[in-house]
Amino acid sequence: MPFSADHLAELNLLAQFPSSSTQEGIKVHAHSASAETVRAAESLYAKGLISQKDGGYLTPLGAEAVELTQKLQAIFSSQ
């Protein structure tokens, strides 16, 4: 099953979270972010991966998802 556009937007947003610290998060500004990014943040929040509807911090599940996202990026980037 291929990734949907919504899933790709969620993966791209997860990739923006810093993985080195749980004390750093991101903020998705509804007035300046794309509608796709705003929807991705809301979806990640609904799935319990981030702490706030507009970004915030990673939850433990979110941190695991970021780790897996980074692994996928590394696999896809290798030659």
Side-chain angles (χ1 to χ4, degrees):
M1 177 171 123
F3 287 109
S4 70
D6 290 338
H7 291 149
L8 290 173
E10 291 173 16
L11 288 168
N12 284 326
L13 186 56
L14 282 172
Q16 293 180 45
F17 277 87
S19 61
S20 59
S21 170
T22 59
Q23 300 301 312
E24 294 180 61
I26 65 170
K27 176 79 169 177
V28 176
H29 297 277
H31 64 276
S32 60
S34 70
E36 171 184 81
T37 301
V38 172
R39 282 192 309 272
E42 291 171 352
S43 180
L44 292 174
Y45 174 73
K47 293 174 181 172
L49 300 176
I50 59 177
S51 64
Q52 297 179 21
K53 191 175 167 182
D54 61 351
Y57 301 98
L58 293 168
T59 64
L61 181 59
E64 184 177 343
V66 166
E67 181 181 331
L68 294 170
T69 299
Q70 290 173 340
K71 286 181 181 180
L72 277 174
Q73 285 178 316
I75 291 167
F76 292 155
S77 298
S78 68
Q79 298 191 4

